[in-house]
Amino acid sequence: MDRAKKPAAIPVSPIQPTPQVSISDDNSRVTANLPTGQQLQVLLYGATVISWKSANGKENLFLSSKAHLDGSKPVRGGIPLVFPVFGPPSSDHPTGRLPQHGFARNSRWEYLGKSSSESSTLPNSKGDASVKLDFGLSNSMLSDSKWDYEFNLTYSVTLSQDSLETSLAVRNTGTSNYEFQVLFHTYLAIDSITETTVSGLEKAAFKDKVQGGKEVEPAGKPISIGSETDRIYTAAPEQAIKILEKGKDRYELTRDMLSDVVVWNPWLEKAKGMADFGPEDGYKKMVCVEAGSVNAWNTLDAGDTWEGGQRIKAL
């Protein structure tokens, strides 16, 4: 018998696609994909981001064709993480026994897991808007760090539809204060270095390492690169940095707790001298714009935590 008034069917909301995260068979890298097509790859060796692709498949990071991805040496390209020292350390400093750029980029990190943030719940939503991957490194994981302090590092890499964020939390788990430096050594992929400029640092003084660390007054104009370039700029973190190609915005860099920006390109002769840099003319296709805190030392008291990060938007 048909009922006169049937109960209305309960509407079922469509299942939204979610980010997919996988670990390689050899447990060497983590790959994340957004439902909208963006992709991220991170090596556990160094927790090094080696690929960041936009939805159209365009690669935003330069990776040397000769880069070692087997854990035998730090990766040339992507985003190597520099900690706890940037340049060649002074022999009388506690970091004096460390290699240049420290040990974070040539240590194996632990993958701690993922989390995602939801996008709009409207019917035309394309699913979760971002995914965050967390990696950890502590002094207990190192056989000999040559740095006699206790620490716990949490490195977070967040892939969104139009940007990539990297952030580092440094916790002093020991009883002694210590000093450190940090840098995200980002290799950005570009079409042509001669048609690329960097803006946002026009009013910033810089240290020119090509000229032996000479202090140089602000140039008052965007940076153009036509020879070996290795500069450390100091600029307020709230100052956004833009990388332009043919006068059009390509990337935008914003920083948190990072007052320095390194701009680097090896040019031809220096590129030739690096065994892991390739192809030989690859310098034409990359520019390093690196957010960090390296011009001075950060002091971290026992039990305290320092946090800093960057956000790179692909325009």
Side-chain angles (χ1 to χ4, degrees), residues 260-288:
D260 302 321
V261 179
V262 175
V263 178
W264 181 75
N265 184 288
W267 214 250
L268 178 60
E269 291 306 317
K270 191 156 189 175
K272 283 182 177 180
M274 294 186 288
D276 61 348
F277 191 94
E280 190 174 279
D281 63 350
Y283 70 92
K284 298 178 181 179
K285 300 291 186 178
M286 55 74 63
V287 62
C288 284

Side-chain angles (χ1 to χ4, degrees), residues 42-290:
V42 184
L43 279 186
L44 289 180
Y45 183 76
T48 307
V49 180
I50 58 171
S51 177
W52 164 36
K53 292 182 179 179
S54 297
N56 61 4
K58 186 176 181 66
E59 178 60 67
N60 297 308
L61 298 176
F62 172 85
L63 182 66
S64 167
S65 60
K66 298 179 181 179
H68 294 256
L69 305 180
D70 59 357
S72 60
K73 65 178 301 183
V75 177
R76 176 71 66 186
I79 309 180
L81 177 60
V82 174
F83 177 91
V85 62
F86 172 54
S90 172
S91 60
D92 59 356
H93 192 268
T95 58
R97 295 188 297 151
L98 297 178
Q100 181 171 341
H101 294 347
F103 53 74
R105 65 178 187 150
N106 54 7
S107 299
R108 182 177 172 86
W109 291 59
E110 178 185 2
Y111 173 52
L112 302 177
K114 72 176 179 72
S115 58
S116 58
S117 63
E118 295 182 355
S119 59
S120 169
T121 57
L122 295 175
N124 62 351
S125 170
K126 295 183 180 180
D128 288 352
S130 67
V131 60
K132 179 167 73 76
L133 308 179
D134 291 325
F135 304 87
L137 181 71
S138 65
N139 58 284
S140 62
M141 297 167 62
L142 306 179
S143 58
D144 180 16
S145 72
K146 297 181 180 179
W147 194 55
D148 301 325
Y149 295 102
E150 297 178 25
F151 62 89
N152 190 307
L153 307 181
T154 302
Y155 183 44
S156 299
V157 183
T158 303
L159 175 65
S160 302
Q161 293 181 16
D162 65 351
S163 66
L164 181 72
E165 296 179 30
T166 63
S167 63
L168 183 69
V170 183
R171 184 184 176 197
N172 184 342
T173 56
T175 57
S176 301
N177 302 348
Y178 55 73
E179 295 179 324
F180 71 93
Q181 297 173 329
V182 64
L183 181 84
F184 302 107
H185 198 319
T186 307
Y187 290 70
L188 294 171
I190 55 175
D191 291 331
S192 173
I193 187 63
T194 57
E195 297 179 322
T196 298
T197 56
V198 179
S199 69
L201 297 170
E202 290 84 349
K203 297 180 180 180
F206 63 92
K207 183 182 296 183
D208 193 336
K209 296 179 71 177
V210 175
Q211 298 186 58
K214 177 182 177 182
E215 299 286 346
V216 181
E217 293 299 311
K221 60 182 180 180
I223 302 166
S224 297
I225 298 176
S227 60
E228 180 187 351
T229 300
D230 192 355
R231 302 174 179 177
I232 305 174
Y233 289 83
T234 296
E238 58 268 21
Q239 175 63 56
I241 312 299
K242 284 190 176 182
I243 294 84
L244 299 87
E245 290 190 287
K246 297 182 179 179
K248 297 182 179 179
D249 294 349
R250 177 68 178 91
Y251 302 102
E252 181 181 64
L253 169 66
T254 52
R255 298 162 289 140
D256 180 37
M257 294 297 292
L258 301 172
S259 59
D260 302 321
V261 179
V262 175
V263 178
W264 181 75
N265 184 288
W267 214 250
L268 178 60
E269 291 306 317
K270 191 156 189 175
K272 283 182 177 180
M274 294 186 288
D276 61 348
F277 191 94
E280 190 174 279
D281 63 350
Y283 70 92
K284 298 178 181 179
K285 300 291 186 178
M286 55 74 63
V287 62
C288 284
V289 182
E290 315 162 27

Side-chain angles (χ1 to χ4, degrees), residues 10-51:
I10 299 175
V12 178
S13 299
I15 298 175
Q16 298 291 351
T18 60
Q20 300 298 309
V21 176
S22 61
I23 301 176
S24 62
D25 292 340
D26 62 357
N27 198 34
S28 67
R29 71 180 66 184
V30 181
T31 300
N33 292 275
L34 292 185
T36 43
Q38 296 82 358
Q39 185 186 78
L40 168 73
Q41 290 189 41
V42 184
L43 279 186
L44 289 180
Y45 183 76
T48 307
V49 180
I50 58 171
S51 177

